[in-house]
Amino acid sequence: MSFENWAAFAAASTILLIIPGPTILLVVSYALGQGWRTALPMAVGVALGDFTAMTLSMLGIGALLAASAGVFTILKLIGAGYLIYLGVKLFRAGGTLKAEPRTDAVSSAKMMAHAWLVTALNPKSITFFVAFLPQFLDRHADFWTQMLIFETTFLALAFANAFGYALIAARARDVVRNPKAIRIFNRTGGTLLVGAGIATVAMRSGN
């Protein structure tokens, strides 16, 4: 795997992670209601959930990669289309972040378990990884080495992202409730996702 390929994966993962989904909404809800103490257990739960979903997805992708180059190429094109779809959906999301403060007193262990369940058991998580990861896999490189590098990179970014969201929500609550800021955030992220999808299609067409 080249450094350029890893850097592209890390950059794309960062963009995708900061987009608010069910997991981030849960993190923000706990942080709004209970403050900064939620940051560590929620971040650990998110990372464990992503590890579960990503591992299941990678094993399935590995089977497809071994079975057929043609099927793997089709999967990459479907994944590019999925990225464009996510980008358009995010661009049109407007300026709302629907996260209500959770004031119910729960232990750190329960918060972590809740974050893990929401992240790992969401069918969209596995679908997302199946569509996203093939864009960066090299069929001619060792699959297990790539799997280790990609998972380690993504989980570190996922932990940092969830931790950061929790701290921001706890300390700068006006930011996560500012429609203008959320709208700019959504449109920027949506544009980058559409660009990533188009770039993938263009690269495949040029091969």
Side-chain angles (χ1 to χ4, degrees), residues 48-109:
L48 289 174
D50 279 325
F51 172 77
T52 302
M54 196 174 187
T55 299
L56 292 174
S57 302
M58 289 287 276
L59 292 175
I61 292 169
L64 286 174
L65 189 151
S68 170
V71 171
F72 188 69
T73 298
I74 292 173
L75 183 62
K76 292 187 72 171
L77 291 175
I78 292 173
Y82 186 59
L83 292 179
I84 294 173
Y85 164 77
L86 289 177
V88 172
K89 184 177 179 180
L90 180 63
F91 190 90
R92 299 175 61 184
T96 58
L97 187 61
K98 299 177 180 178
E100 296 299 324
R102 296 183 65 100
T103 57
D104 49 317
V106 295
S107 66
S108 295

Side-chain angles (χ1 to χ4, degrees), residues 38-202:
T38 65
L40 183 59
M42 294 302 290
V44 172
V46 169
L48 289 174
D50 279 325
F51 172 77
T52 302
M54 196 174 187
T55 299
L56 292 174
S57 302
M58 289 287 276
L59 292 175
I61 292 169
L64 286 174
L65 189 151
S68 170
V71 171
F72 188 69
T73 298
I74 292 173
L75 183 62
K76 292 187 72 171
L77 291 175
I78 292 173
Y82 186 59
L83 292 179
I84 294 173
Y85 164 77
L86 289 177
V88 172
K89 184 177 179 180
L90 180 63
F91 190 90
R92 299 175 61 184
T96 58
L97 187 61
K98 299 177 180 178
E100 296 299 324
R102 296 183 65 100
T103 57
D104 49 317
V106 295
S107 66
S108 295
K110 287 185 177 180
M111 281 191 283
M112 183 173 66
H114 195 178
W116 174 77
L117 284 171
V118 170
T119 306
L121 302 184
N122 183 358
K124 290 183 179 179
S125 295
I126 296 177
T127 302
F128 162 74
F129 284 124
V130 170
F132 177 65
L133 289 170
Q135 315 304 317
F136 305 94
L137 285 173
D138 181 355
R139 291 193 73 254
H140 303 292
D142 181 70
F143 173 77
W144 296 107
T145 300
Q146 294 181 86
M147 180 174 175
L148 176 62
I149 293 172
F150 284 150
E151 285 214 32
T152 301
T153 300
F154 193 90
L155 295 181
L157 292 171
F159 177 90
N161 181 66
F163 195 85
Y165 257 109
L167 291 182
I168 291 172
R171 296 178 179 273
R173 301 182 183 189
D174 290 341
V175 174
V176 298
R177 290 175 171 173
N178 186 321
K180 184 177 180 180
I182 298 300
R183 185 178 296 109
I184 293 173
F185 180 81
N186 285 343
R187 290 183 176 178
T188 301
T191 300
L192 291 172
L193 278 179
V194 171
I198 293 175
T200 300
V201 173

